[in-house]
Amino acid sequence: MKKTKIRRIGVFTSGGDAPGMNACIRAITRAAIRQGLQVYGIEQGYKGMIEGKMRPLTWHSVSGILQLGGTILKSARSDAFRTKEGRAIAFEQLKHFGIDALVAIGGDGTFRGALEFMNEYDIPIVGCPGTIDNDIYGTDYTIGYDTATNTAMWAIDKIKDTANAHDRLFFVEVMGRDAGFIALRSGIATGAEAVLVPEQIVTIENLLAKLGRILSHRRRSCIVVVAEGDELGGAIDIAKKVQGQFKDYDIRITILGHIQRGGSPTCFDRVLASQLGIEAVQALLNGQTGVMIGKRHEQIVQTPFEKAVKYHHELNPTLLKIIDILS
Ligand code: F6P
């Protein structure tokens, strides 16, 4: 393993923001300062790197942010960084600011960008998984997922009250572009009658049969949690397909949307973010690069970016069965 002399690290958040990113920025900054490093915050991810939007972070400049949602460094998705020219400018900017290593907080798009950058330029990069989707291979939990799931649970509990009051059939759409983690966990936690996730193909016939069974037996309200990336479509599409078959039922749709992305991180996310942030700095100081720091079975683990972007984090099949057993 090559030991690199690092003096100044840059930290940035990229892709969709996630609650706990600030806790991670704070941990990275303070852990680095404790080790005698200087820290620069890069605004708006790769976009800000290209535009030279960087500022020093100090012990005090990251105080009071642990409990804040969003990201003090802002986030963005950058088309320019996908080009060779864009990455060349980004590297020049890093040299200009004297930054000789990076910690990237984000999802698979962030790590894909980091990988390309590292293949072209000699700069060590370590990643921390930050996305509400929990869809990153190499960690049981991503920063922000626990908060988003709790927010979804809180919202679905409220929807259930009104669904019960009117005996309505609700389709609640939660986030998760390619993954059903938020849908599955919030569905179990709220006693949803069905959960539709991209990882499990359910035909419209199967869904109709299931809803038919539930509604004819008990004639009461019903909640179906739909991951936005489900194969059958989003909540609006699915409700349309179902509507004709349940004419006696009032159907309503709720799309939870970005409410799931904001808000103060849960205790779980704050602790996870703090731990991963500290470990990311340590990994850089140990001479490691091109790895994402994750946590599996309560152990800190490192996964090469190649693997983190190539493989999928699988849904736990046991959790999928819970909905069928209990609804
Ligand atoms: O990846 C996180 C996520 O919140 C997804 O669940 C969702 O599909 C997407 O980002 C929304 O992105 P945007 O905020 O750019 O609309």
Side-chain angles (χ1 to χ4, degrees), residues 16 77 131-133 175-177 228 258 261:
R77 295 186 170 105
T131 164
I132 64 163
D133 290 352
M175 276 187 166
R177 202 176 5 215
E228 64 175 330
H258 287 79
R261 282 250 293 267

Side-chain angles (χ1 to χ4, degrees), residues 54-55 67 80 88 117 137 193 199 214 228 257 264 290:
M54 312 183 196
R55 61 169 196 267
Q67 71 280 20
F117 202 38
Y137 179 84
E193 275 70 22
E199 293 87 343
I214 289 168
E228 64 175 330
S264 182

Side-chain angles (χ1 to χ4, degrees), residues 153-171:
M153 181 188 76
W154 164 88
I156 299 168
D157 277 348
K158 292 183 194 312
I159 291 168
K160 218 170 161 169
D161 290 345
T162 176
N164 282 335
H166 290 269
D167 280 348
R168 280 176 169 159
L169 166 53
F170 263 86
F171 290 89

